[in-house]
Amino acid sequence: MAETAATEDRTGQEPLELKITHPLSEMATMFFANHAAVAGLVLLIFIILFTFLGPYIHTTDPFEMVWAPFSPPGEEGFLFGTDYLGRDILAAMMVGGQVSMAIGLAAAVISVVIGVTVGAFAGYYGGVIEEALMRFTEFFQVLPTLLFSMVIVALFGATLLTVTMAIGVVSWTAVARVTRSEFLRIRELEYVAAARSGSARDGYLIFRVILPNALPPIIVQANLMVGSAILFEAALSFLGLSDPNTMSWGQVIGSNRPYILDAGFAVAIPGFAIFFTVLAISLIGDGLNDALNPKLRQR
Amino acid sequence: MGLWSTVAERVGYGLLLLVAVLILNFALISIAPGDIADTIAGDMGGADASVIEEIRTRYGLDQPFYVQLWRYLSRVVQFDLGYSYFYNTPVTTLILEKLPATLLLVFSAQILAVITGTLLGVLAAKKPNGAVSLTVTFLSLFGFAAPVFWTGILLIILFVSIFPLFPVAGMMDVTVEGGFFVKTLDVLHHLVLPMITLASIFLALYSRLARASMLEVLGADYVRTARAKGVPERGVLYKHALRNALGPVVTVAGLQFSAVISGAVVVEAVFSWPGLGTLALQSILARDTPTIMGILFFSSVVVIIFNILTDITLRFIDPRIKSG
Amino acid sequence: MSKFARFLGGAALAATVVATMPSAPFAEEPKRGGTLVQAIQNTPRHLNPAVQSGIATGEPGTQLFASLLRYDESWTPEPYLAKSWEVSHDGLSVTLKLVEGATFHDGHPITSEDVAFSIETVKAYHPFKSMFAPVEQVKTPDAHTVVVVLSQPHPALLLAMSSQLLSIIPKHIYGDGQDPKTHPRNSENVVGSGPFKLVEFKRDQHIILERYENFFIKGRPYLDKIVMRIIKDGSARTIALDSGEFMLSGFEQTPRDLNRLKKNPNLNVSNEGYAAIGSIVWLAFNTKQGKTADKAVRQAISYAVDRNFILKALMLGTAKPAKTGIHPGSPFYDDSVNGYDVDLDKANKLLDDAGYAKGSDGMRFGLTVDYGWAIVKPYAEYMKPQLKKIGIDVTVRASADFPTWAKRISNHEFDMTMDNVFNWGDPVIGVHRTYDSDNIKKGVIWSNTQQYSNARVDELMKLAGSTYDLDERKKYYAEFQQILAGELPIYWLFAGPYHTVANKKVGNPPNSIWGTSAPLDRVYLK
């Protein structure tokens, strides 16, 4: 799926060189110099406002049948038209966006937590532990991600929780690899070596000393994870593996799918919502990468 | 290290991974609520408790977990993935029946994405601020951000419903009369839209990669030298630089196979492509556990094989690369 | 002679006329030859309907295997592999005479032995146990005579001998001691008795059938070949039917696609037939556990559901209302029962009176509604906003796979479920199972999962199921439907809107009570 598409892009690059004492303001300057990234940020802010503040202005319940099914967009006072049950698609886009983004965020958090833990321990300890953990990572890379999460959702039921877990569990490997390579690099740096030879405990070193400095590429990666998790959820919904009690963008697409010939808009609109959200996120990702990757700045 | 010993090592390691995959799949299915006996009983139009017990015994479900696992593993070693209770056919037969369709789709989409992606990347690198470069950026963003089923549906609406250029579903029209050539053409005709849809996800990634490595290579000394020597620009671009740009693309493409298979599942669902993805979805809906496990296993096999093949291909493209 | 026997005798006579003068009822002479490309919706698990129910197997299965009788569009039995049949005076035995010279696709003659074997196989392995339950013995006095001996009069027998319910299978193939349900010849090298023989079966792709030259009806089938393309996706089928790539598709039921296809001047879109399939979409209640055990709650819900809205807005006029558990196309359907037309005030009052007061949030209590597969999902989802109007907070419970749903429902772990159940011809086969208190069987889906029990209803079913007298049966089923409509173990919504879409080039498109799950030997291409 597309999620790995973007992640591989990062790892294909050389290890990042980082100036630890870099001031935040310069990063911000770098970020804002990337016009696409700024556009992405503006777009994302707009989408977030739309989904989270929208329901206060447009108070229609997305589950309520308000009109005849498949009223086309713009007619009868429905900006985005109505779906196969005559429910307001605009309302579904707002509330569904909250769910889609929440799933995206939660799944990304799960994969980052797993990925960082595995990567950090592998990179910090090295040796047998590293070997074992990286084999473990490779094992998960061999699993067909979507098929595997389809099976999880089918076996344990299509609820928000299982869907989120299923996505998180299959998509952490890229984070683990990025984290490990950062740890490998940073642990050799002088001040870390000094701290290690001192009496600092491993846990302190891993989470207080190395991790903060390894964060930039992980942040970039995590950002992309959110986008790919949104896509992932949409794919599961499309295949019919979603919770019908929670509106999500994917859910709207999946449930209107049988009617594409007559009411393409009911599929196209949530498709555009997903597209623009993921687009915004990946543009921001590019910007973050620029801002956090000093090597690029010299170009 | 020689080529063959590397391959042998990778294959050995791949086999170990496969055993782990099998154990995980088996454990997952075992801890899930409900088992195949319930399914079969429901399917028979119902059965009382004694019949359900009998089915459990027949399928060995009354045995402890490790016994069941051991039995399963020892059968898999003999290429026996069990029996699909839904289709009443050995799972291996079912999978081998569907595998060619999926491989055709996955392979052609990958090749299309790698070739077009690299070419676009190279063209974009030639003029980093030109129109092609902009197009590549746009395409790559689209490919990454658009849900793949959505792309597929849009293509169907456009090229099947509005402009009926392509057949809507399936892999072949059995009513087409003619020899091998005509039939192949028919399959290719059916292949176009699914292939483009699947390729669209990865096109983005490859064109970006190719562009980045081309930019790097074009700045390198030996290219400058070649240029200074008066090698024509075309020659510089395609002979020296392209070869170097292809390396990273192939490496990444090889690593993408797991992702390509995932994409194929969705694309198959959109285009009614009769491959493993279609079979997987059907088996999941019917909870045909032997088939589900078989497909998961087989997908992993395919991914591992392609990882090994990628290694070998890379050695041909760039002999400097050693194992690992 | 009983009324039934007279009725049958007349029918047999009429049918003989048809059989001897095949061209008479047709406006034009059927043409021989050609390949029919037909769409089917699901990959059959295998092709032997004797041990597998369902339409996916029925559509190809009825081409491969002949049954003893067939039915026209108005419930009249016609001779098929049996050229005549007679019910004894006491109604306890039926004697059938087989067509002479009929052969299986491998050339073996079809004899009474094969018929007896087929009936025994279906009785033992087919999920519809009530079809041949009263059959005590099948006698074979000679190669072309079959005598079915019954323990009680069994009015469903003739329907159970038609279409996919009784496929005549070769004893010399399936009688080899292997389990017929998993017999390898169910999907490969199938040796059938029907008008077409199997050329190729590719799962998820197609089934290719070819005319059986020695079919027992001379001159039939007209078609050289039938190619059944297996296309799950409704939109894909619609596009291909629209463009003329597919010539025929049965069991189509997506209202929007149907209305789109109706606009195409090259297509015939017809809802004729399918009455024996008898598909009904309904909302079933758990009548023993939870809030739905209260009749007032069930009635209130039924008053809250707007059947007309569903028929108009969701079904776009393609479906007929079904007010009872018997299909409106059946001669036993009673239209006079209370249909619970939408009345929200009445629904609210019923709940108020029953003591379910609204809480501060306007809600009285919560219920779940299940659905097992995609077709019925929209109606389950409809319940959520609609029942909110009477203060019931509905949670839609999805089941990722069919077995999960079947397990929940059959173990009675549900409040309400949306379901789509078939009558399968006679009420004895497909209706009784839902209401019979003897059929409350945990773990068995499509048994009486509502756990409904009423002694009078049980008695009425017994009476109606053991007489051949049509009028008497109608009377019993009328009372049966009245009681059920009052007690509402189920709220019946509408009849599944099955349509046959046929290109105008297709002559004699199938229109029997079994729809396209019936032999296509009369179909031809213009």
Side-chain angles (χ1 to χ4, degrees):
Chain A
M1 295 264 8
E3 72 276 8
T4 8
T7 58
E8 295 300 342
D9 200 357
R10 312 289 135 194
T11 47
Q13 289 171 5
E14 294 160 46
L16 306 166
E17 234 174 79
L18 197 78
K19 285 182 195 131
I20 297 135
T21 54
H22 198 80
L24 268 174
S25 63
E26 198 174 321
M27 281 193 215
T29 317
M30 275 311 293
F31 183 87
F32 285 107
N34 184 333
H35 297 301
V38 175
L41 189 63
V42 171
L43 187 58
L44 188 67
I45 290 173
F46 173 76
I47 294 170
I48 289 173
L49 288 178
F50 170 77
T51 53
F52 286 89
L53 289 185
Y56 291 103
I57 299 158
H58 183 80
T59 50
T60 310
D61 177 352
F63 285 102
E64 194 188 334
M65 295 171 296
V66 288
W67 200 253
F70 293 128
S71 170
E75 288 176 26
E76 317 291 354
F78 298 106
L79 182 63
F80 288 160
T82 56
D83 76 353
Y84 64 106
L85 282 179
R87 303 180 295 195
D88 183 11
I89 294 182
L90 176 62
M93 283 303 97
M94 291 171 172
V95 176
Q98 297 176 9
V99 175
S100 285
M101 284 193 260
I103 291 179
L105 206 62
V109 167
I110 293 173
S111 59
V112 166
V113 167
I114 303 176
V116 166
T117 313
V118 171
F121 281 93
Y124 181 81
Y125 288 107
V128 184
I129 292 176
E130 181 183 10
E131 180 80 2
L133 286 174
M134 290 331 279
R135 296 277 138 144
F136 182 64
T137 311
E138 247 174 85
F139 168 67
F140 270 87
Q141 277 175 287
V142 165
L143 294 176
T145 44
L146 184 68
L147 275 178
F148 196 71
S149 43
M150 277 162 71
V151 173
I152 295 179
V153 174
L155 289 180
F156 297 95
T159 62
L160 273 188
L161 183 72
T162 47
V163 169
T164 313
M165 293 293 285
I167 299 172
V169 161
V170 297
S171 43
W172 54 268
T173 53
V175 181
R177 277 181 293 139
V178 171
T179 312
R180 169 177 161 265
S181 64
E182 278 301 288
F183 266 66
L184 282 178
R185 188 179 58 79
I186 295 171
R187 79 170 179 184
E188 300 306 328
L189 294 181
E190 250 174 65
Y191 68 99
V192 181
R196 282 186 109 175
S197 61
S199 59
R201 271 180 293 160
D202 288 353
Y204 175 80
L205 278 172
I206 292 175
F207 293 108
R208 288 298 182 79
V209 180
I210 307 183
L211 188 58
N213 292 309
L215 273 183
I218 298 174
I219 290 171
V220 173
Q221 189 66 51
N223 172 63
L224 290 167
M225 227 72 206
V226 178
S228 53
I230 291 175
L231 287 172
F232 213 116
E233 189 270 339
L236 285 174
S237 294
F238 173 75
L239 295 171
L241 298 164
S242 65
D243 182 352
N245 292 295
T246 38
M247 247 341 145
S248 76
W249 287 336
Q251 164 78 17
V252 178
I253 293 181
S255 51
N256 284 296
R257 179 199 173 197
Y259 316 101
I260 50 165
L261 291 180
D262 291 277
F265 64 87
V267 172
I269 290 168
F272 273 111
I274 294 173
F275 173 69
F276 282 120
T277 309
V278 180
L279 181 69
I281 291 172
S282 63
L283 288 175
I284 294 170
D286 278 355
L288 281 177
N289 199 36
D290 286 1
L292 299 171
N293 183 350
K295 204 181 160 207
L296 270 175
R297 272 175 233 159
Q298 289 148 20
R299 279 197 187 163
Chain B
M1 228 193 298
L3 177 68
W4 291 114
S5 57
T6 315
V7 171
E9 190 199 313
R10 300 287 267 131
V11 169
Y13 177 55
L15 288 177
L16 272 181
L17 269 183
L18 282 179
V19 174
V21 168
L22 280 172
I23 295 174
L24 177 76
N25 294 345
F26 197 87
L28 194 71
I29 303 259
S30 302
I31 56 171
D35 64 31
I36 196 168
D38 297 313
T39 317
I40 295 175
D43 195 61
M44 280 163 45
D48 47 33
S50 67
V51 177
I52 292 182
E53 272 321 300
E54 192 203 305
I55 299 171
R56 288 222 164 87
T57 316
R58 187 166 6 127
Y59 282 79
L61 297 170
D62 53 341
Q63 301 291 320
F65 174 75
Y66 61 90
V67 176
Q68 292 185 45
L69 177 63
W70 177 249
R71 283 184 186 170
Y72 183 67
L73 288 180
S74 45
R75 278 207 314 270
V76 172
V77 172
Q78 302 159 44
F79 299 102
D80 174 8
L81 290 171
Y83 197 76
S84 158
Y85 93 87
F86 188 79
Y87 286 119
N88 286 320
T89 305
V91 172
T92 320
T93 315
L94 272 181
I95 290 178
L96 290 178
E97 214 174 88
K98 306 285 173 191
L99 192 63
T102 298
L103 285 183
L104 175 67
L105 174 64
V106 161
F107 241 127
S108 56
Q110 271 285 55
I111 290 172
L112 178 74
V114 167
I115 291 178
T116 336
T118 312
L119 281 180
L120 281 176
V122 169
L123 288 176
K126 223 165 112 184
K127 280 189 192 141
N129 297 315
V132 180
S133 192
L134 216 70
T135 316
V136 168
T137 315
F138 175 77
L139 272 181
S140 59
L141 286 171
F142 184 89
F144 174 65
V148 58
F149 53 88
W150 187 66
T151 316
I153 290 175
L154 293 185
L155 285 178
I156 288 185
I157 292 178
L158 199 59
F159 291 112
V160 179
S161 190
I162 300 177
F163 306 106
L165 295 176
F166 295 101
V168 55
M171 189 168 92
M172 60 172 89
D173 181 354
V174 278
T175 52
V176 167
E177 302 280 335
F180 176 76
F181 181 69
V182 179
K183 288 198 188 294
T184 309
L185 225 58
D186 178 51
V187 171
L188 291 179
H189 192 207
H190 281 79
L191 179 63
V192 174
L193 290 185
M195 176 178 71
I196 292 177
T197 309
L198 185 54
S200 76
I201 318 174
F202 301 97
L203 186 63
L205 168 62
Y206 302 155
S207 61
R208 273 184 163 200
L209 267 180
R211 179 168 166 266
S213 49
M214 276 301 281
L215 281 175
E216 207 146 297
V217 171
L218 286 176
D221 285 342
Y222 67 99
V223 174
R224 287 196 194 139
T225 317
R227 272 186 182 149
K229 276 186 186 165
V231 176
E233 187 62 24
R234 204 169 268 267
V236 172
L237 208 58
Y238 293 103
K239 215 170 163 192
H240 294 271
L242 183 62
R243 201 172 182 158
N244 289 295
L246 209 53
V249 174
V250 171
T251 313
V252 172
L255 286 172
Q256 291 302 311
F257 260 94
S258 158
V260 183
I261 290 177
S262 293
V265 174
V266 180
V267 173
E268 285 184 11
V270 175
F271 292 95
S272 308
W273 190 259
L276 279 185
T278 306
L279 181 66
L281 197 59
Q282 169 64 55
S283 314
I284 286 175
L285 291 180
R287 193 171 283 207
D288 189 359
T289 38
T291 313
I292 298 174
M293 286 199 284
I295 294 171
L296 285 176
F297 170 72
F298 237 83
S299 316
S300 300
V301 172
V302 170
V303 171
I304 290 173
I305 289 177
F306 278 104
N307 285 352
I308 296 173
L309 286 180
T310 310
D311 272 8
I312 299 173
T313 317
L314 276 179
R315 286 165 164 267
F316 284 106
I317 292 178
D318 192 344
R320 287 171 303 173
I321 297 173
K322 292 281 175 253
S323 70
Chain C
M1 205 174 176
S2 73
K3 264 189 194 170
F4 179 69
R6 258 183 287 130
F7 170 66
L8 290 182
L13 197 70
T16 317
V17 176
V18 174
T20 47
M21 300 194 302
S23 60
F26 307 129
E28 62 181 310
E29 189 71 29
K31 249 170 56 186
R32 216 175 140 81
T35 298
L36 176 81
V37 183
Q38 181 186 354
I40 59 174
Q41 303 177 15
N42 284 299
T43 288
R45 296 171 59 176
H46 61 69
L47 302 171
N48 184 358
V51 292
Q52 177 69 50
S53 66
I55 300 154
T57 299
E59 286 191 275
T62 47
Q63 313 314 321
L64 291 167
F65 295 96
S67 48
L68 291 174
L69 309 178
R70 65 201 289 174
Y71 276 76
D72 70 358
E73 65 277 16
S74 52
W75 297 86
T76 316
E78 294 177 357
Y80 193 29
L81 197 50
K83 61 181 177 187
S84 70
W85 56 92
E86 205 186 321
V87 183
S88 67
H89 290 283
D90 56 5
L92 291 178
S93 79
V94 178
T95 305
L96 301 108
K97 291 276 182 199
L98 302 183
V99 169
E100 273 161 52
T103 54
F104 286 109
H105 297 165
D106 61 357
H108 278 68
I110 302 174
T111 67
S112 54
E113 285 286 322
D114 295 299
V115 173
F117 173 74
S118 303
I119 294 178
E120 279 151 16
T121 306
V122 173
K123 189 182 171 189
Y125 296 98
H126 198 283
F128 302 162
K129 298 292 175 214
S130 57
M131 290 197 298
F132 297 105
V135 173
E136 285 192 327
Q137 197 192 350
V138 183
K139 290 190 204 158
T140 52
D142 67 59
H144 295 99
T145 308
V146 179
V147 181
V148 182
V149 182
L150 302 164
S151 60
Q152 62 166 71
H154 185 42
L157 185 66
L158 292 193
L159 269 162
M161 286 180 168
S162 71
S163 176
Q164 66 184 88
L165 297 182
L166 178 63
S167 292
I168 300 306
I169 56 174
K171 188 179 182 182
H172 62 275
I173 306 267
Y174 295 100
D176 61 358
Q178 294 191 63
D179 181 352
K181 283 205 81 111
T182 57
H183 203 286
R185 301 294 283 272
N186 286 346
S187 37
E188 277 166 40
N189 301 318
V190 176
V191 173
S193 48
F196 294 92
K197 55 185 188 180
L198 182 68
V199 178
E200 188 179 54
F201 170 30
K202 278 203 156 180
R203 288 181 191 86
D204 294 325
Q205 294 199 51
H206 55 250
I207 300 166
I208 302 177
L209 307 168
E210 189 178 75
R211 178 199 294 129
Y212 176 49
E213 294 292 351
N214 297 321
F215 183 53
F216 57 84
I217 301 178
K218 290 288 161 270
R220 303 247 197 94
Y222 299 125
L223 295 165
D224 287 342
K225 237 182 181 185
I226 299 178
V227 172
M228 295 184 170
R229 297 275 309 269
I230 302 164
I231 305 288
K232 239 191 164 81
D233 186 67
S235 311
R237 284 197 309 276
T238 302
I239 292 172
L241 285 163
D242 227 351
S243 71
E245 192 183 336
F246 296 166
M247 307 292 276
L248 176 71
S249 182
F251 294 93
E252 289 293 347
Q253 58 173 341
T254 313
R256 276 172 196 274
D257 289 344
L258 289 172
N259 283 353
R260 183 191 177 92
L261 293 169
K262 277 180 190 163
K263 288 183 199 133
N264 186 330
N266 300 321
L267 298 176
N268 277 319
V269 180
S270 154
N271 61 355
E272 246 183 82
Y274 302 108
I277 299 285
S279 156
I280 303 177
V281 173
W282 70 45
L283 179 71
F285 299 108
N286 187 335
T287 65
K288 284 285 176 291
Q289 287 93 18
K291 293 276 194 297
T292 50
D294 185 342
K295 191 166 86 180
V297 171
R298 302 200 294 270
Q299 286 176 329
I301 292 171
S302 307
Y303 276 121
V305 173
D306 188 347
R307 188 193 276 122
N308 271 331
F309 172 84
I310 295 179
L311 290 176
K312 269 193 205 139
L314 302 185
M315 305 314 295
L316 305 172
T318 58
K320 294 183 202 124
K323 293 196 229 165
T324 85
I326 295 179
H327 190 271
S330 163
F332 302 115
Y333 181 65
D334 182 359
D335 191 49
S336 73
V337 303
N338 181 5
Y340 294 86
D341 291 333
V342 64
D343 189 338
L344 292 177
D345 295 336
K346 207 168 188 174
N348 272 312
K349 190 170 179 308
L350 272 165
L351 291 176
D352 288 339
D353 292 352
Y356 302 103
K358 280 191 180 178
S360 54
D361 58 349
M363 288 298 175
R364 302 171 195 272
F365 52 83
L367 288 177
T368 59
V369 61
D370 283 275
Y371 67 90
W373 61 99
I375 285 280
V376 290
K377 182 179 170 218
Y379 319 118
E381 287 179 306
Y382 164 84
M383 295 301 152
K384 190 181 171 80
Q386 189 63 17
L387 297 190
K388 195 180 165 189
K389 295 176 184 165
I390 59 166
I392 298 177
D393 185 14
V394 173
T395 305
V396 184
R397 271 205 307 189
S399 302
D401 53 22
F402 175 78
T404 308
W405 173 80
K407 203 177 173 192
R408 280 175 177 168
I409 305 308
S410 64
N411 285 307
H412 313 143
E413 293 154 1
F414 72 104
D415 293 330
M416 305 186 281
T417 184
M418 204 40 89
D419 203 346
N420 183 4
V421 181
F422 294 174
N423 276 187
W424 290 114
D426 197 279
V428 170
I429 304 171
V431 177
H432 289 195
R433 55 180 175 165
T434 315
Y435 312 96
D436 191 343
S437 65
D438 282 343
N439 200 28
I440 302 175
K441 289 181 177 162
K442 237 185 176 168
V444 182
I445 192 61
W446 294 318
S447 60
N448 182 354
T449 47
Q450 297 67 240
Q451 306 160 75
Y452 174 70
S453 87
N454 178 316
R456 178 63 185 158
V457 167
D458 286 348
E459 192 188 350
L460 285 167
M461 285 190 288
K462 210 156 269 162
L463 289 168
S466 55
T467 173
Y468 293 105
D469 190 309
L470 199 66
D471 294 331
E472 222 174 301
R473 295 190 77 197
K474 275 186 181 164
K475 201 182 73 201
Y476 294 136
Y477 280 127
E479 191 186 341
F480 164 83
Q481 290 169 78
Q482 294 287 350
I483 297 176
L484 290 176
E487 303 205 319
L488 280 175
I490 287 170
Y491 181 59
W492 308 274
L493 286 168
F494 57 87
Y498 286 143
H499 282 65
T500 303
V501 181
N503 198 292
K504 292 226 164 118
K505 287 184 197 141
V506 176
N508 287 337
N511 64 349
S512 81
I513 52 169
W514 293 108
T516 47
S517 190
L520 301 176
D521 58 326
R522 290 174 188 149
V523 174
Y524 65 98
L525 289 172
K526 288 174 190 166

